[in-house]
Amino acid sequence: MRTTQGWFRDTTGGLPRTFWYLWTGTLINRLGSFVLVFLAIYLTQERGFDELQAGMVLGLWGVGGAVGTTLGGTLTDRWGRRPTLLTAHLGAASMMLTLGFARDLWAVAVGALLLGLFAEAARPAFGAMMIDVVPERDRLRAFSLNYWAINLGFASAAILAGLAAEASYLLLFVVDAGTTVVTAAVIFLKVPETRAVAVAAPGGAGAGRPRGALRTIVTDRVYLGFVALNLLGALVFLQHISMLPIAMGEDGLAPTTYGTVIALNGVLIVAGQLFVPRLIRGRSRSHVLALAALVMGVGFGLTAFADAAWLYAMTVLIWTVGEMLNSPSNSTLIAELSPAALRGRYQGVFSLSWQIAGASAPILGGLVRQQAGNATLWLGCAAIGALIAVAHLVSGPARERRAVALRPPAAPVGEVRPPAPQPAEAAATAPAEPIEPAAEGYAPDATDPGRRPVAPVGAR
């Protein structure tokens, strides 16, 4: 019991209160994420659209999402995290209801476009706010906890959506909109603005708006290289949504079998994700990311030899392990490679890579499968995974040097440095100087030998 309590304290203790409000909002929002799960079925069975029309609507959702991540990133830095999140959530809730009541194809198409825009505009703001409020040493477990909440909520939503759809498809849109509004209410009531307010330079030159932001991003080869590797990985990962059900169908397996097999992904993440931070803490991030890419490649590659449900289930479990290793290391590295004044834009560029992959993966997967065959597609995924692994090992040192360069310099011992502009919550949770002896709540971290004790703040 003492060991379990210690693990729970090390996993959840000492994180800022604002993080837990964001975490709660994520869980609530994902519990109600019904529409995306059943949208294709709704469009074809309830609205009577053909497959081409349904595909166009889903494509417009993706286009709106690409625009939303770009716009959301800019607004996050210029307008603020909190107003961007509130606007995005309320806009998404409104568009959710509009889409539920729309009947004509043009109205459904416009609703899907705007819904994608608002829903994805929240991602950069949320990511930037998480980085703002969680100290660097705690981000690995914070992102793991958030990823766990996402998968727990989404897995539960798939079950609840099936029950709601039996009663009424409109109920899917109403409940989804309702949980989005509840999330907005949590942010409005409990989450303060976390963007640091830059102090004007002497002479009246304000620094509140970063200049040359686009030039900074497009010339940041280290960051763009990392985003490119994420794009390649996403092209492989998203084949489980597009090509995997087709492959299983050709082997005579029913759609319900696919649903059961793919559900193992969520089950394994919910059961094991919270143990990942302790497993990878103190290890080279480049090595962890390389291993994750290799494991995912092996999992998808073995799909070429699967012809029964249990074999497909085994492949899903293998690439899920790679996904679990990749997610927290990926998120913490993105956080460290993002300059403080451009966090929203950097998060937007990262989210854009997922939008591009979401639109491209089904097309490229279908093209390879049609022209070269099923086995070539999955073995090609394995080859891409190996390529990504090598690229992480090669580019890792440059990324770590960049991350170190972007960290604020530490004050010399004995020097009292004026605090930099920062959110109130972050200031409240920042460790005090000088270093004090370990106390309750201290969790050793091999990556930070000088880690100071963290006072328990907020919910555990």
Side-chain angles (χ1 to χ4, degrees):
M1 178 64 71
R2 183 178 298 276
T3 301
T4 302
Q5 291 177 345
W7 166 82
F8 186 77
R9 183 175 63 249
D10 290 346
T11 303
T12 63
L15 292 171
R17 186 179 294 107
T18 297
F19 164 79
W20 288 110
Y21 289 130
L22 291 170
W23 184 91
T24 302
T26 295
L27 182 60
I28 294 172
N29 202 5
R30 291 291 176 168
L31 282 171
S33 57
F34 293 168
V35 171
L36 190 57
V37 178
F38 275 80
L39 185 58
I41 298 174
Y42 166 77
L43 294 173
T44 53
Q45 295 186 4
E46 183 73 6
R47 296 273 68 87
F49 298 153
D50 58 35
E51 293 181 359
L52 178 60
Q53 292 171 327
M56 181 193 71
V57 171
L58 291 171
L60 286 173
W61 179 307
V63 171
V67 175
T69 55
T70 305
L71 180 61
T74 301
L75 291 176
T76 295
D77 289 333
R78 291 193 173 186
W79 191 20
R81 282 70 155 137
R82 189 168 181 265
T84 301
L85 271 179
L86 289 173
T87 302
H89 279 86
L90 294 177
S94 301
M95 289 301 104
M96 198 80 67
L97 292 176
T98 300
L99 187 59
F101 286 103
R103 294 295 179 266
D104 296 332
L105 177 60
W106 70 267
V108 172
V110 172
L113 176 70
L114 294 177
L115 178 57
L117 187 152
F118 281 111
E120 296 302 323
R123 291 185 183 273
F126 184 89
M129 187 170 276
M130 287 272 289
I131 299 170
D132 291 341
V133 302
V134 179
E136 180 184 334
R137 61 177 174 270
D138 294 324
R139 286 175 187 160
L140 181 64
R141 58 196 181 101
F143 282 117
S144 292
L145 285 165
N146 192 64
Y147 189 64
W148 182 82
I150 289 173
N151 282 275
L152 175 62
F154 192 78
S156 303
I159 300 173
L160 297 175
L163 299 175
E166 291 182 0
S168 168
Y169 276 106
L170 179 60
L171 186 59
L172 295 175
F173 294 90
V174 172
V175 174
D176 204 334
T179 55
T180 304
V181 170
V182 171
T183 302
V186 171
I187 295 169
F188 179 77
L189 294 174
K190 296 296 185 179
V191 178
E193 175 58 59
T194 64
R195 182 182 60 151
V197 179
V199 180
R209 178 177 299 179
R211 297 180 178 179
L214 179 60
R215 183 173 64 252
T216 299
I217 295 174
V218 299
T219 57
D220 192 340
R221 290 180 295 177
V222 172
Y223 183 77
L224 292 181
F226 184 64
V227 172
L229 291 181
N230 182 76
L231 174 60
L232 284 176
L235 289 174
V236 172
F237 176 72
L238 292 177
Q239 297 302 322
H240 81 277
I241 297 176
S242 55
M243 294 298 110
L244 182 59
I246 295 176
M248 293 182 66
E250 289 189 354
D251 283 330
L253 301 174
T256 53
T257 304
Y258 166 74
T260 302
V261 167
I262 207 64
L264 294 174
N265 170 259
V267 171
L268 182 57
I269 291 175
V270 170
Q273 187 66 44
L274 296 184
F275 296 95
V276 171
R278 174 170 288 188
L279 179 67
I280 65 177
R281 186 168 55 194
R283 303 184 185 276
S284 166
R285 279 185 296 207
S286 298
H287 292 174
V288 172
L289 289 170
L291 177 62
L294 197 60
V295 172
M296 286 183 64
V298 169
F300 280 99
L302 289 175
T303 308
F305 308 102
D307 58 1
W310 72 271
L311 286 173
Y312 280 109
M314 182 186 69
T315 66
V316 169
L317 291 174
I318 292 173
W319 58 253
T320 297
V321 172
E323 179 190 358
M324 293 166 65
L325 293 172
N326 178 79
S327 178
S329 297
N330 210 336
S331 298
T332 55
L333 193 52
I334 286 291
E336 291 189 35
L337 293 176
S338 305
L342 300 176
R343 279 176 182 163
R345 290 175 175 87
Y346 270 65
Q347 289 287 321
V349 170
F350 180 70
S351 297
L352 184 60
S353 69
W354 278 100
Q355 299 301 317
I356 294 173
S360 305
I363 299 173
L364 294 176
L367 183 63
V368 172
R369 201 170 184 279
Q370 181 178 345
Q371 298 296 324
N374 183 66
T376 302
L377 169 65
W378 301 114
L379 293 177
C381 288
I384 293 175
L387 177 65
I388 296 172
V390 173
H392 275 306
L393 294 177
V394 172
S395 60
R399 290 197 302 258
E400 294 301 332
R401 288 194 297 269
R402 174 61 58 83
V404 170
L406 288 174
R407 290 173 189 162
V413 177
E415 176 182 336
V416 179
R417 178 171 294 173
Q422 58 182 313
E425 176 98 20
T429 59
E433 296 287 351
I435 298 176
E436 296 177 0
E440 183 179 359
Y442 174 82
D445 189 338
T447 63
D448 186 2
R451 179 174 180 176
R452 303 177 180 90
V454 182
V457 177
R460 283 187 175 269

